[in-house]
Amino acid sequence: MKVGVIMRKKYGRLLKKENIIVFPGTYEKLIREGFLFVENGAYEQAVRVFDQAIDLGPESVEFYAPYALALYETKDYQRAKEMTIRLLHSGPEDYIGTMELYLTILIQLEEYDDVDMNIDILLEEGFVPEELINKFTYLRELNNRMSTRYGKEDAPAPEVPFTLDDFIDMDPFSQQQMLASLNGTDLRMMTSILEDIAEGVNFSPLVITFALSLLAQSGHAKELTVRKFDMEKKVIPIDMPLPGEDALSKKVLSIIEELLEQDPTRFELAKGMVEKFEITAFPFKWGNYTAEEVANAYVLYIDTLFSGEAFPITPLHEFIKYMDSEVDF
């Protein structure tokens, strides 16, 4: 038996590049490394190894999806678009998930008409599963807002109202006012500053909430690391429900309303506390507690405020008390 046949059986296919035989297993090793890099959020490293892999096996589609995602995360939107198109043509198993990534890339490339046309086709032809219709409807609405705001090719770049150094020198109240003034404006030139604020550790919790909300408003799809109250969380602004709009918060308020149905004054007090928590702690919640546990803790806290009795010392109760009495809104 020839040596080449033995090697193919033992190590898999042999690859050639410009008449040079690539060492067996190199291609597979690159794919494994690329997947691991993507799983760990190391997108630049993932792009580097996938670039090598596609050079060796351009027709293999097994890594197109993570490759496209890594390109998107490194803001190489044009190549991400090309890779996603190739993936779509291959008939991916997760077609809708791939289309969602493709449409998000098109929005970044300001190809708003194509986004609108593709979403219309997907919805009209019934390709979108029922549980994802709201998500694609929201994506179309976001695209329309972005198109209205940024769609004019000759529109001048907006001025930067403040630098990060200017912002740091402001007091917390002025920072809040400054961010509030940006609502509804063109945020293209402010993205990097808002990212720094959202990921900062020396800003007030409410200021960080404002920055995150503005980034969500602008359709920001880059992953950020947010730190508040000795907690840390990775978030993607465009994917986050606004404060109080998530299912847990709504359920907590619903249960509190039932518990305090006969006492509207206490309910309004509890509602205000929950809303303060949602805005100040955003994007964090009450930990791993259930909605029932959180609702009962708020009702008990209000009872102790009226009765003067001691409030239970548990992590949940202490956190609720701290957020209500110690943190400035």
Side-chain angles (χ1 to χ4, degrees), residues 210-235:
F210 269 107
L212 284 171
S213 298
L214 287 169
L215 288 169
Q217 167 192 310
S218 68
H220 193 65
K222 178 181 176 182
E223 185 178 79
L224 302 175
T225 302
V226 181
R227 301 171 183 86
K228 288 183 180 181
F229 308 113
D230 297 323
M231 297 183 290
E232 181 175 304
K233 184 176 184 179
K234 294 185 182 300
V235 300

Side-chain angles (χ1 to χ4, degrees), residues 139-157:
L139 194 61
R140 180 168 57 184
E141 292 171 353
L142 171 65
N143 179 69
N144 291 337
R145 292 199 301 270
M146 299 286 282
S147 176
T148 301
R149 190 173 302 158
Y150 307 134
K152 297 180 180 178
E153 294 182 1
D154 299 328

Side-chain angles (χ1 to χ4, degrees), residues 79-238:
R79 282 213 296 157
K81 174 186 174 183
E82 294 167 3
M83 188 53 55
T84 310
I85 290 174
R86 292 170 68 172
L87 179 59
L88 287 168
H89 286 169
S90 73
E93 182 177 345
D94 184 11
Y95 180 80
I96 290 299
T98 304
M99 275 301 304
E100 184 182 350
L101 175 60
Y102 175 63
L103 294 169
T104 305
I105 292 169
L106 291 185
I107 291 177
Q108 293 292 342
L109 290 171
E110 300 183 6
E111 298 180 18
Y112 304 119
D113 289 341
D114 285 347
V115 175
D116 198 51
M117 178 188 68
N118 277 285
I119 293 179
D120 280 346
I121 292 173
L122 288 170
L123 293 175
E124 290 173 5
E125 298 296 328
F127 288 117
V128 182
E130 185 175 349
E131 65 271 17
L132 294 178
I133 288 178
N134 287 340
K135 190 171 189 178
F136 274 79
T137 301
Y138 171 76
L139 194 61
R140 180 168 57 184
E141 292 171 353
L142 171 65
N143 179 69
N144 291 337
R145 292 199 301 270
M146 299 286 282
S147 176
T148 301
R149 190 173 302 158
Y150 307 134
K152 297 180 180 178
E153 294 182 1
D154 299 328
E159 295 183 1
V160 177
F162 59 84
T163 66
L164 182 62
D165 289 336
D166 293 334
F167 192 80
I168 291 172
D169 289 338
M170 299 177 190
D171 61 81
F173 180 76
S174 298
Q175 290 175 341
Q176 294 172 29
Q177 293 295 103
M178 182 59 71
L179 292 179
S181 71
L182 295 179
N183 189 46
T185 65
D186 189 335
L187 299 173
R188 283 177 293 173
M189 303 301 291
M190 295 300 300
T191 299
S192 62
I193 295 176
L194 291 172
E195 286 178 355
D196 289 335
I197 296 170
E199 293 189 307
V201 294
N202 296 318
F203 299 111
S204 75
L206 194 55
V207 164
I208 294 173
T209 296
F210 269 107
L212 284 171
S213 298
L214 287 169
L215 288 169
Q217 167 192 310
S218 68
H220 193 65
K222 178 181 176 182
E223 185 178 79
L224 302 175
T225 302
V226 181
R227 301 171 183 86
K228 288 183 180 181
F229 308 113
D230 297 323
M231 297 183 290
E232 181 175 304
K233 184 176 184 179
K234 294 185 182 300
V235 300
I236 298 176
I238 193 176

